Amino acid sequence: MRLSTKGRYAVMAMADLARNGRAAAGEPRAVSLAEIAARQEISLSYLEQLFARLRKAGLVLSVRGPGGGYRLARTPAETAVADIVLAVDEPIRAVRCSVQGTPRGCMAGGERCITHHLWEDLGAEIHAYLAAVSLEDVVMKRTGLRRRAAPTLAQGAAA
């Protein structure tokens, strides 16, 4: 699977929003894209493009006026990393075929390569992992716990 800067930056920005989207008293506050851009070292114009897609997908809410910016539309615990990646048009797949789910494959004659199903299954596993990880997990640095808790292939085969 290849995850471009678009997907990585969207997740970074949303994690920043999750971490900094609360005032000292705990109430939600809007975070400006300029703040996120400075903290995460991401171009402001690039963030504007990403947040337009994130807003369209219903993951963030825009707040106008003084003190405006963006807020999460859902809690960090309810926001899956997979939703963020998909919102910025990043397909989560490992196959090299251009159109997933069609019988036409990536080979010159249109057939699927011998390893097609391997990479298709890997893409599904990646998607399942990202769907199981929330922004809260990212901010609280709990993603490693998920990896260590997952059974290994050898353990699964022995069962």
Side-chain angles (χ1 to χ4, degrees):
M1 180 197 134
R2 184 176 176 277
L3 185 62
S4 74
T5 55
K6 197 186 313 181
R8 283 195 308 271
Y9 284 2
V11 174
M12 286 170 60
M14 290 287 285
D16 185 286
L17 186 58
R19 176 182 283 163
N20 297 294
R22 295 261 174 221
E27 67 271 1
R29 79 169 187 94
V31 179
S32 75
L33 292 184
E35 291 176 60
I36 296 171
R39 279 191 295 267
Q40 300 305 319
E41 299 178 356
I42 302 171
S43 158
L44 180 58
S45 62
Y46 198 62
L47 279 180
E48 289 169 345
Q49 294 172 33
L50 293 176
F51 271 73
R53 292 178 180 190
L54 293 167
R55 188 174 54 77
K56 184 176 179 184
L59 295 174
V60 294
L61 303 169
S62 60
V63 179
R64 297 186 179 272
Y70 286 89
R71 292 193 328 224
L72 293 176
R74 300 180 275 193
T75 68
E78 297 171 323
T79 306
V81 171
D83 293 339
I84 298 166
V85 174
L86 292 172
V88 295
D89 294 334
E90 285 292 309
I92 301 172
R93 65 175 201 257
V95 294
R96 69 179 185 173
C97 302
S98 60
V99 181
Q100 191 173 3
T102 64
R104 182 151 176 83
C106 55
M107 304 291 283
E111 63 275 353
R112 290 181 171 182
C113 67
I114 195 167
T115 57
H116 179 88
H117 296 293
L118 169 70
W119 305 127
E120 192 171 53
D121 291 346
L122 175 62
E125 290 293 323
I126 292 168
H127 183 273
Y129 173 75
L130 294 178
V133 175
S134 70
L135 275 181
E136 183 175 281
D137 294 330
V138 173
V139 171
M140 301 302 288
K141 298 181 178 144
R142 294 189 302 226
T143 60
L145 296 174
R146 289 189 181 282
R147 276 195 312 275
R148 286 189 291 276
T152 64
L153 184 58
Q155 290 171 337

